[in-house]
């Protein structure tokens, strides 16, 4: 209600439920989107409640600055934040140089001191929730291409980097990432050739409707686009698995779900595949089909 392409959910979505019950009060789940929005079946995944659709962010840089409270910050403030991330080692560098300069200090003692300072820095890196200046610069550079099909996979990777960081830092407990609009207007480059939109390829004809000239090898092209999506999901799993916790990784503590909004028949929900990775700290039994 309403119907057709304007239809809306009559209840909250699972990401909202997870964040509402397990997250900090007043903090919403992270809602991301890859690619341009056409005004027709754009973001569709996240609902606060009945008919209350949550907007999705398709620019990774905006997502990062909003998530970590840097939205609208002037360059001077951002520089100040970068300066504050300097190591505590930098603050006591003069004092540490004094013992290191002593001639009677053995090589073993020097190695121990070096290990001590390195351990401090490693601990600091683990505590700082934020990207490096270089990574933030990459996000800024990519802003202008956030909706460019040629950078679809790159933008998706950046979104996944931010998503992983947000979960690892406890900023949010749930997130969604949507690959393009419902009509999938993205034009992928396959085997060095930029193809028709994914939506047309899925129809097997050069049309968004039911009539049009056939697209040669459309089924093979569709399969190769599915592989791109699978590789993107694999990238996300790798990022989540790289965050090590007390017993396992971030992936072991949660669950990542990959799904489609279409089944095996034309605009149907028959046999819609769902892939779940991660066991929610043992709550889910893995290895099932």
């Amino acid at each position: 209600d309403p119907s057709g392409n304007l239809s809306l959910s009559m209840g909250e979505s699972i990401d909202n439920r997870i964040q509402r019950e397990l997250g900090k009060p007043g903090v919403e789940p992270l809602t991301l989107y890859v690619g341009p929005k056409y005004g027709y079946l754009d973001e569709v995944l996240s609902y606060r409640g009945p008919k209350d659709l949550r907007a999705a962010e398709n620019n990774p840089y905006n997502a990062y600055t909003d998530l970590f409270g840097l939205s609208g910050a002037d360059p001077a403030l951002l520089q100040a934040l970068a300066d504050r991330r300097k190591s505590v080692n930098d603050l006591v560098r003069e004092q540490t140089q004094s013992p290191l300069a002593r001639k009677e200090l053995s090589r073993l003692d020097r190695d121990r001191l070096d290990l001590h300072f390195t351990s401090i820095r490693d601990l600091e890196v683990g505590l700082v929730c934020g990207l490096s200046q270089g990574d933030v610069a990459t996000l800024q550079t990519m802003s202008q291409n956030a909706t460019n099909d040629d950078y679809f996979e790159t933008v998706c990777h950046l979104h996944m980097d931010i998503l992983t960081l947000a979960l690892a830092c406890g900023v949010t407990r749930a997130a969604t990432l949507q690959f393009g609009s419902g009509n999938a207007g993205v034009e992928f480059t396959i085997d060095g050739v930029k193809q028709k939109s994914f939506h047309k390829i899925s129809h097997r004809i050069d049309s968004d409707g039911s009539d049009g000239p056939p697209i040669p090898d459309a089924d093979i092209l569709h399969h190769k686009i599915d592989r791109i999506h699978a590789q993107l999901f694999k990238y996300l799993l790798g990022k989540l698995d790289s965050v090590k916790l007390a017993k396992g990784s971030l992936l072991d503590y949660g669950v990542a779900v990959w799904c489609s909004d279409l089944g095996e028949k034309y605009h149907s929900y028959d046999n819609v595949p769902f892939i779940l990775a991660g066991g929610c700290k043992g709550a889910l039994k893995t290895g099932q089909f």
Side-chain angles (χ1 to χ4, degrees), residues 92-260:
V92 295
R93 190 167 302 281
E94 290 185 11
Q95 292 93 322
T96 59
Q97 293 306 310
S98 178
L100 287 172
R102 297 179 61 163
K103 294 181 180 180
E104 64 269 30
L105 208 62
S106 70
R107 176 61 183 270
L108 181 59
D109 289 332
R110 292 178 187 276
D111 288 343
R112 285 174 175 170
L113 282 171
D114 180 66
L115 177 61
H116 173 68
F117 294 135
T118 300
S119 298
I120 289 175
R121 186 57 188 149
D122 288 344
L123 177 62
E124 289 175 331
V125 170
L127 291 174
V128 172
C129 276
L131 298 175
S132 68
Q133 288 176 278
D135 290 335
V136 174
T138 299
L139 290 177
Q140 287 178 297
T141 302
M142 191 53 60
S143 283
Q144 60 187 344
N145 292 308
T147 59
N148 186 331
D149 290 351
D150 295 338
Y151 295 89
F152 185 90
E153 292 170 65
T154 301
V155 171
C156 193
H157 287 164
L158 293 175
H159 271 315
M160 290 174 172
D161 292 346
I162 294 167
L163 187 156
T164 301
L165 182 66
L167 293 174
C169 293
V171 177
T172 186
R173 297 296 295 270
T176 56
L177 175 58
Q178 182 175 323
F179 292 174
S181 69
N183 266 18
V186 178
E187 297 178 348
F188 288 96
T189 297
I190 299 175
D191 299 330
V193 179
K194 193 163 188 174
Q195 305 293 333
K196 301 289 185 181
S197 73
F198 184 27
H199 189 235
K200 292 180 179 180
I201 289 173
S202 71
H203 278 218
R204 308 291 191 257
I205 56 176
D206 190 3
S207 170
D208 290 315
S210 57
D211 299 307
I215 296 177
D217 298 322
D219 56 335
I220 297 175
L221 293 173
H222 194 155
H223 169 67
K224 290 185 176 182
I225 293 172
D226 284 342
R227 284 180 59 86
I228 291 173
H229 289 161
Q231 289 162 355
L232 290 171
F233 187 60
K234 180 185 176 183
Y235 178 88
L236 174 63
L237 300 186
K239 293 295 294 187
L240 295 171
D241 196 45
S242 69
V243 181
K244 303 305 179 183
L245 301 174
K247 295 181 180 180
S249 69
L250 189 60
L251 180 60
D252 298 313
Y253 275 65
V255 61
V257 181
W258 176 31
C259 63
S260 171

Side-chain angles (χ1 to χ4, degrees), residues 36-59:
K37 297 181 182 181
Y38 304 95
Y40 186 89
L41 295 177
D42 291 328
E43 58 267 83
V44 296
L45 292 179
S46 190
Y47 281 82
R48 299 179 184 89
K51 301 185 183 182
D52 190 1
L53 176 64
R54 179 179 286 106
E57 179 57 63
N58 62 354
N59 187 320

